[in-house]
Amino acid sequence: MSLDVSPDLLAAAQRGEVDDDAFVACVRESLPYAWDVVSSVAGAAPVPGSPTVHEVPPPSEAARGELLRALASDAIRGGLERHFGVVLAFQNCHRVAAFSPAGIEGADADTFDAFVSPRGQLLNQSPELRDC
C-alpha cells in the first residue's frame, strides 16, 4: 500500500470530492522520505537554466520504496508537481531533479531532455546501483 488514507479522505474520494491539498497532505504524511527528497529539490526554487538535482541514495529499502512509489504513481507525482510548481524527473532509485516548468521549454530544454533520455539513463548506471 502506498498511502495511509484517513477514513475522511477515503469517504471524500468515494463521493468523488478529492481536494488536492488533502491529497498532498496524505502523501506528505504517508511517504515522509519521498516528501523530504522532493521538497528539497523543489524547495530550492528551480529557475530556468538551473535545475536542482538530488543524488543521495536512500538510507534504507523502506525509503527507496517510498521514493519509487511517489515518483512512479502518476497521481502522486502530479500532485507533488502541482503543489511545488515544478516538473520532476527521475532516474534509478534516487536521482530526482526538479525543473522549472518554463525551463523545460526554454533554458533547461536540453538539460531536461538529456536527463530523461535513454542515453541519460544509461550514463547514470554503475555496478553499485545495480540492485537499486
Side-chain angles (χ1 to χ4, degrees), residues 3-77:
L3 301 175
D4 298 320
V5 182
S6 71
D8 289 342
L9 186 56
L10 181 58
Q14 290 168 338
R15 289 189 306 271
E17 307 165 13
V18 179
D19 176 75
D20 214 33
D21 289 338
F23 176 68
V24 170
C26 179
V27 171
R28 181 181 59 243
E29 293 165 13
S30 300
L31 305 173
Y33 176 78
W35 178 268
D36 287 346
V37 169
V38 171
S39 64
S40 73
V41 295
V47 295
S50 181
T52 305
V53 181
H54 173 86
E55 300 185 274
V56 179
S60 67
E61 287 304 310
R64 183 183 326 277
E66 280 189 28
L67 198 55
L68 292 172
R69 285 192 301 279
L71 294 170
S73 165
D74 291 337
I76 295 173
R77 184 182 187 147

Side-chain angles (χ1 to χ4, degrees), residues 93-129:
C93 61
H94 65 281
R95 196 159 188 247
V96 180
F99 291 84
S100 159
I104 64 168
E105 295 179 8
D108 283 340
D110 291 342
T111 304
F112 178 79
D113 290 345
F115 192 95
V116 300
S117 72
R119 179 178 185 265
Q121 181 68 45
L122 292 172
L123 292 173
N124 191 47
Q125 301 303 296
S126 65
E128 60 272 7
L129 297 177

